[in-house]
Amino acid sequence: MSTDTTPEIRLAGLRKSFGDLEVLRGIDLEVTKGQVVCVIGPSGSGKSTLLRCVNLLEQPSAGTVTVGGVELTDPDADLDRERRRIGMVFQQFNLFGHLSVLDNVALPQRRVLGTDRATAERVARDNLARVGLADKASAFPAQLSGGQQQRAAIARALAMGPEVMLFDEPTSALDPELVGDVLAVMRSLAEEGMTMLVVTHEMSFAREVADRVVFMDGGHVVEDGPARQVIGDPRHERTRGFLARVLDPAAAPLEAGAD
C-alpha cells in the first residue's frame, strides 16, 4: 500500500463528449504515487473513456490531465515523450501475430526508445520472466493461451519502463480459468509499488489489491473510498445496487426493460 501522497495522476474537471453525448461530466480524481485505484461501474458509465483520457488516446473536451507533474492537456506538452512513462494494457492483446513473443516485447523499445537490439532483447527477457513467460520467448502469439497473450502484453508495456500503468478490463476477454494468472501478475506489480489505475469487473481483485475503489455511473464519480469500504459497505444506494447485481447476479431482481 502506498504511503506517498504525491499525485502521480491528477484529473481536474475532466469532460468528454462524443457529439451530443457527454460521456464524462466533470471528473476530479487523483492517484498518488504507488497507489492502486480500481474503477468499477456499469457498462457505458465512462470508465474506459476515463482511462483513455489519461494518456490522451481520447482528447478531453474540457478539464486537465496531469501525470507525473506534467500537464498532458497543455498544448505545448510533448505527448510522445510523456506517453513513454505511461504503460497501457487493453482488453485485447494487440500482439503482432508474425513476430515471436520476444520480438513483440523488444520491438517497441527499439522503435520508440531507440534501444539497440541486444539491450531490448535482454529487457524483454527480463520482463517476460517477470510475468512468468520466460519459456515462451520464442513462441508466437497463436501458440499461447489468451491469458499468456495478455501477460505478454503486460510484459511489453513494462519493458518500456513506465512510471504509471493503466489497465482497461484486462481480463474481460479471457476464459474464467485463465483470469487468475493475469491478476497474479497485476498483484505482484502492486506489491512492487507500481502506480496503477485499473478498470475492472473483478471485484475480489479490487477488494484485496486496490488501495481505493472508484464507482462511476452516468459519467460521474458516485463513490470513491477505501476498497473494502466501497465494496463491503458502500454508502450510496446506486453503488449498493450495482454491487448486488455483480456479486450475486442470480439473486438480483430483473430490472424493467432488461434484456
Side-chain angles (χ1 to χ4, degrees):
M1 297 295 180
S2 172
T3 59
D4 190 335
T5 58
T6 304
E8 192 71 13
I9 301 172
R10 176 181 287 157
L11 310 179
L14 190 68
R15 293 181 176 272
K16 176 61 182 178
S17 296
F18 296 97
D20 294 333
L21 177 63
E22 190 172 31
V23 178
L24 299 178
R25 303 180 180 186
I27 302 292
D28 296 312
L29 179 67
E30 288 188 359
V31 181
T32 59
K33 189 175 179 65
Q35 194 172 52
V36 178
V37 175
C38 284
V39 183
I40 64 173
S43 177
S45 60
K47 307 183 301 296
S48 292
T49 300
L50 171 73
L51 206 67
R52 292 171 66 86
C53 282
V54 173
N55 60 2
L56 267 65
L57 287 179
E58 293 289 355
Q59 182 70 41
S61 303
T64 60
V65 176
T66 304
V67 179
V70 177
E71 185 191 329
L72 273 59
T73 40
D74 185 331
D76 295 327
D78 186 341
L79 282 182
D80 289 338
R81 182 184 66 192
E82 298 306 324
R83 282 185 177 131
R84 296 173 190 174
R85 301 187 296 110
I86 307 170
M88 186 159 185
V89 178
F90 300 87
Q91 296 178 31
Q92 302 300 324
F93 323 125
N94 299 319
L95 299 176
F96 293 111
H98 66 291
L99 297 179
S100 69
V101 170
L102 180 68
D103 287 340
N104 265 283
V105 179
L107 183 63
Q109 300 173 63
R110 296 173 58 201
R111 292 284 179 86
V112 178
L113 304 180
T115 308
D116 64 85
R117 179 185 290 273
T119 300
E121 290 187 355
R122 176 182 57 77
V123 172
R125 290 185 187 279
D126 288 346
N127 281 284
L128 286 171
R130 195 174 175 186
V131 301
L133 293 177
D135 61 338
K136 299 296 184 181
S138 62
F140 286 83
Q143 297 172 306
L144 305 183
S145 70
Q148 289 171 330
Q149 290 186 60
Q150 189 61 292
R151 282 187 281 152
I154 294 173
R156 178 181 57 192
L158 292 173
M160 302 294 286
E163 299 169 18
V164 170
M165 286 287 288
L166 310 177
F167 292 87
D168 186 7
E169 298 201 32
T171 61
S172 65
L174 302 180
D175 291 334
E177 67 270 21
L178 302 177
V179 168
D181 290 340
V182 173
L183 295 181
V185 169
M186 295 171 64
R187 180 188 294 267
S188 70
L189 292 178
E191 291 170 351
E192 292 170 14
M194 176 66 74
T195 305
M196 299 164 59
L197 185 58
V198 184
V199 171
T200 186
H201 60 276
E202 300 290 345
M203 295 301 134
S204 61
F205 175 85
R207 180 176 56 244
E208 299 299 328
V209 178
D211 296 282
R212 285 168 40 223
V213 166
V214 173
F215 173 67
M216 288 184 63
D217 189 31
H220 297 282
V221 171
V222 175
E223 188 158 357
D224 179 354
R228 289 180 177 271
Q229 179 264 306
V230 173
I231 294 178
D233 187 23
R235 296 184 180 132
H236 293 267
E237 180 59 37
R238 182 65 186 96
T239 315
R240 289 194 290 271
F242 170 78
L243 288 170
R245 297 188 68 85
V246 170
L247 297 175
D248 192 4
L254 182 65
E255 292 183 352
D259 292 333

